[in-house]
Amino acid sequence: ELAARGVVVLAGAVAALDYLADRAALGVATGNIRAGAQAKLAAAGLADRFALGGYGCDSPLRPELVAMAITRAGAVDEVIVVGDTIHDIAAARACGAIAVAVATGADPADRLAHADAVLRHPPRPDPRDPSPDPWNAEPVLDIRSRDFH
């Protein structure tokens, strides 16, 4: 059903994954069970980009999902959690990870401002507005407290 409906991949997401894949092992931490997460990623054409993860079938607690993904990664020097809610930032903090927020979910950029970095898009357009959709534009990065390379 997901494949039939389609899944929208936001502008810049594939380029960001390409950039990161050359530098780190990529994982996913989600409240979805593993099969559900894999189905969603497959429908978006992204399933082969994530080697590991923490899933809703591992724990109902978001920090434990991130911790499970970290455990499955093995020995790592640094962990960066990218999420779109204040709960993702809290989970990153609970695991000692760098928190990068993307303002594409229910929490707007101002609620995510306590992350180490925030990627924000322009406000969602009114669907009645005939002008080009600004969500097809590249996001803007606000770095808050750490030096990213």
Side-chain angles (χ1 to χ4, degrees):
E1 183 179 332
L2 282 172
R5 286 189 316 199
V7 175
V8 175
V9 178
L10 293 176
V14 171
L17 291 173
D18 288 342
Y19 176 84
L20 293 170
D22 290 338
R23 292 159 177 78
L26 300 181
V28 62
T30 175
N32 290 280
I33 62 170
R34 184 186 303 246
Q38 290 173 340
K40 288 179 180 181
L41 290 169
L46 302 174
D48 62 337
R49 295 178 176 270
F50 299 96
L52 52 105
Y55 306 95
C57 49
D58 294 322
S59 173
L61 304 175
R62 198 170 310 220
E64 290 181 9
L65 303 178
V66 172
M68 182 57 72
I70 293 168
T71 298
R72 289 180 174 138
V76 295
D77 295 326
E78 184 174 59
V79 174
I80 300 172
V81 172
V82 179
D84 63 0
T85 71
I86 58 173
H87 307 294
D88 297 325
I89 297 168
R93 297 276 189 255
C95 294
I98 295 169
V100 176
V102 289
T104 57
D107 290 328
D110 62 327
R111 290 203 60 212
L112 303 170
H114 61 289
D116 297 304
V118 179
L119 280 164
R120 59 182 168 77
H121 277 274
R124 287 190 183 267
D126 182 326
R128 297 167 293 184
D129 184 352
S131 60
D133 184 351
W135 275 68
N136 289 326
E138 293 295 319
V140 176
L141 176 63
D142 295 328
I143 296 177
R144 299 292 180 195
S145 63
R146 297 205 187 191
D147 181 27
F148 290 93
H149 309 309

